């Protein structure tokens, strides 16, 4: 039996929309850059047990037996499962499908656990490509630190300890499952948003500026790009037709509160994925102030930048 624990990653430069002609492989239309969070707080843990059989796959998610999803089947097709019975048990220690990157940690944990359990020994590049088949953003959870994904390439651009003072507070405003699954939502944006034609160029330009701000540990420029990117993702969603919206009243109130807190000096930055739960970046020295300022909005989980997935059991 193999147990693998994989972290979530939060995109600062967001992936939104697939490259025309490469939709089934989840190749992104624009490059993205994310921060892998530590696995001490938020993670997917996946157990894979292999025994002799005829290719059956049993899958339990959060203790409920269910059919393997289409995305999982794509991932499984890359592994030698014939004449075997595979039992996969996956648990998220945070809300599933609520815009908190559970598909990223889930698919990364699955791929790494299958690779170990079935002795395929795929290289990093292949593991990323298989994880990407399950969920685009999952390819970034294969590595720790600051990770850039561009087309077929995924690489760590800064290590997890490059900026040790950086913290990320997860602020859970609503743990319910999202109303608009990201694959169909992205497709609607690509097909209907007039603003979307600008997206690729903007992401490319911002990724360069973001890397400079991380390299120089310049929090205020990091924060500005981070918030602008989040806002652009949600603006593109609203520009889609029919419109897609992930943010709730609390999310907008959190955004306002952070801009208020930043009036004299930038101490915090928000980013939201496909859901109303906030990821708040700040430096360690401002943690107390930021936590106090955001009191009452929901449960807070404090994370650091993490080293990436680990195998916790190889019985
Ligand atoms: O990997 P998916 O299909 O769940 O899409 C993720 C999209 C965002 O989380 C909104 C952005 C990103 O880059 O992670």
């Amino acid at each position: 039996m193999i147990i693998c624990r994989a972290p979530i990653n939060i995109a600062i430069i967001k992936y939104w929309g697939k490259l025309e002609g490469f939709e089934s492989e989840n190749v992104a239309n624009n490059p993205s850059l994310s921060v892998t969070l530590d696995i001490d707080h938020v993670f997917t843990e996946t157990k894979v047990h292999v025994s002799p059989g005829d290719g059956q796959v049993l899958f339990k998610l959060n203790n409920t037996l269910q059919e393997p999803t289409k995305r999982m089947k794509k991932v499984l097709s890359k592994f030698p499962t014939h004449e075997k019975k595979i039992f996969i048990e996956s648990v998220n220690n945070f809300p599933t499908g609520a815009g908190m990157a559970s598909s990223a940690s889930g698919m990364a944990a699955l791929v790494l656990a299958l690779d170990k359990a079935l002795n395929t020994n795929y290289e990093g590049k292949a593991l990323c490509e298989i994880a990407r088949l399950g969920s685009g953003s999952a390819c970034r959870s294969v590595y720790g630190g600051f990770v850039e994904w561009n087309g077929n390439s995924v690489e760590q651009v800064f290590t997890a300890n490059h900026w040790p003072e950086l913290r990320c507070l997860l602020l859970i405003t609503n743990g319910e499952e999202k109303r608009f699954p990201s694959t169909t939502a992205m497709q609607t944006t690509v097909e209907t948003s007039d603003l979307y034609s600008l997206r690729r160029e903007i992401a490319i330009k911002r990724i360069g500026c973001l890397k400079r701000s991380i390299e120089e540990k310049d929090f205020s420029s990091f924060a500005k790009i981070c918030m602008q990117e989040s806002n652009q993702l949600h603006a593109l969603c609203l520009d889609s037709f029919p419109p897609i919206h992930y943010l709730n009243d609390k999310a907008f109130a959190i955004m306002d509160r952070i801009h208020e807190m930043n009036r004299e000096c930038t101490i915090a930055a928000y980013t939201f994925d496909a859901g109303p739960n906030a990821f708040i970046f700040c430096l360690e020295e401002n943690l107390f102030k930021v936590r106090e300022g955001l009191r009452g909005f929901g449960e807070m989980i404090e994370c650091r930048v993490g080293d990436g997935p680990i195998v916790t059991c190889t019985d």
Side-chain angles (χ1 to χ4, degrees):
M1 188 187 54
I2 293 291
I3 303 180
C4 181
R5 201 179 262 202
I8 61 171
N9 72 77
I10 177 67
I12 311 297
I13 304 296
K14 307 285 189 190
Y15 146 54
W16 198 250
K18 299 168 210 267
L19 189 65
E20 211 187 323
F22 295 87
E23 289 87 349
S24 64
E25 291 157 58
N26 289 337
V27 178
N29 183 45
N30 67 268
S32 57
L33 197 152
S34 60
V35 177
T36 296
L37 300 183
D38 70 70
I39 42 172
D40 300 330
H41 298 97
V42 179
F43 57 81
T44 299
E45 190 164 84
T46 298
K47 242 185 241 179
V48 172
H49 184 263
V50 181
S51 54
D54 53 6
Q56 290 156 275
V57 178
L58 291 174
F59 172 50
K60 254 189 188 177
L61 176 62
N62 297 330
N63 299 314
T64 308
L65 203 58
Q66 53 189 73
E67 266 296 298
T69 59
K70 227 166 104 189
R71 292 151 167 248
M72 281 180 73
K73 285 183 184 157
K74 272 196 196 174
V75 166
L76 281 158
S77 74
K78 300 291 173 190
F79 290 94
T81 56
H82 47 275
E83 292 177 6
K84 290 185 181 78
K85 177 177 168 186
I86 317 262
F87 183 35
I88 302 166
E89 236 179 315
S90 213
V91 175
N92 296 321
N93 78 335
F94 62 100
T96 301
M100 295 181 70
S102 56
S103 64
S105 54
M107 288 298 166
L110 175 68
V111 170
L112 294 164
L114 286 173
D115 182 56
K116 285 273 176 301
L118 295 163
N119 295 313
T120 35
N121 294 319
Y122 283 122
E123 286 180 356
K125 186 174 174 350
L127 292 172
C128 289
E129 279 181 21
I130 301 172
R132 197 191 70 209
L133 290 178
S135 169
S137 57
C139 66
R140 296 185 313 236
S141 270
V142 171
Y143 298 124
F146 299 79
V147 182
E148 182 175 355
W149 166 29
N150 193 354
N152 283 323
S153 136
V154 182
E155 59 169 335
Q156 182 188 67
V157 283
F158 298 99
T159 60
N161 55 15
H162 166 73
W163 197 354
E165 303 81 11
L166 194 66
R167 294 289 181 278
C168 183
L169 290 172
L170 271 62
L171 188 39
I172 305 177
T173 65
N174 185 342
E176 283 169 26
E177 220 163 298
K178 59 189 160 212
R179 284 175 49 211
F180 306 91
S182 47
T183 298
T184 45
M186 283 180 197
Q187 201 181 338
T188 306
T189 303
V190 172
E191 286 168 5
T192 66
S193 163
D194 289 334
L195 301 177
Y196 190 69
S197 59
L198 303 170
R199 176 63 194 146
R200 190 178 143 77
E201 284 317 304
I202 293 174
I204 291 171
K205 209 163 101 195
R206 282 185 180 161
I207 230 168
C209 300
L210 180 70
K211 282 200 272 190
R212 218 166 311 128
S213 75
I214 299 170
E215 186 175 6
E216 293 167 4
K217 300 178 199 167
D218 175 350
F219 185 76
S220 120
S221 81
F222 172 88
K224 185 172 179 197
I225 299 168
C226 177
M227 293 186 278
Q228 284 180 319
E229 266 295 298
S230 175
N231 296 339
Q232 183 157 104
L233 166 68
H234 296 281
L236 285 169
C237 286
L238 205 54
D239 189 49
S240 306
F241 200 81
I244 300 150
H245 46 90
Y246 291 112
L247 304 179
N248 58 16
D249 288 352
K250 274 194 188 170
F252 284 111
I254 290 167
M255 289 159 64
D256 287 345
R257 180 67 60 83
I258 286 183
H259 286 292
E260 252 168 57
M261 292 199 281
N262 286 347
R263 211 173 295 139
E264 274 167 28
C265 161
T266 304
I267 62 164
Y270 55 78
T271 185
F272 296 85
D273 266 356
N277 298 305
F279 293 76
I280 313 290
F281 283 96
C282 68
L283 296 177
E284 189 183 12
E285 65 195 38
N286 294 317
L287 249 178
F288 182 75
K289 235 197 259 177
V290 173
R291 271 182 170 284
E292 282 303 297
L294 295 171
R295 196 178 279 283
F297 282 111
E299 186 197 342
M300 267 189 248
I301 306 171
E302 185 189 320
C303 299
R304 293 171 183 243
V305 183
D307 281 317
I310 54 166
V311 175
T312 55
C313 170
T314 54
D315 239 2

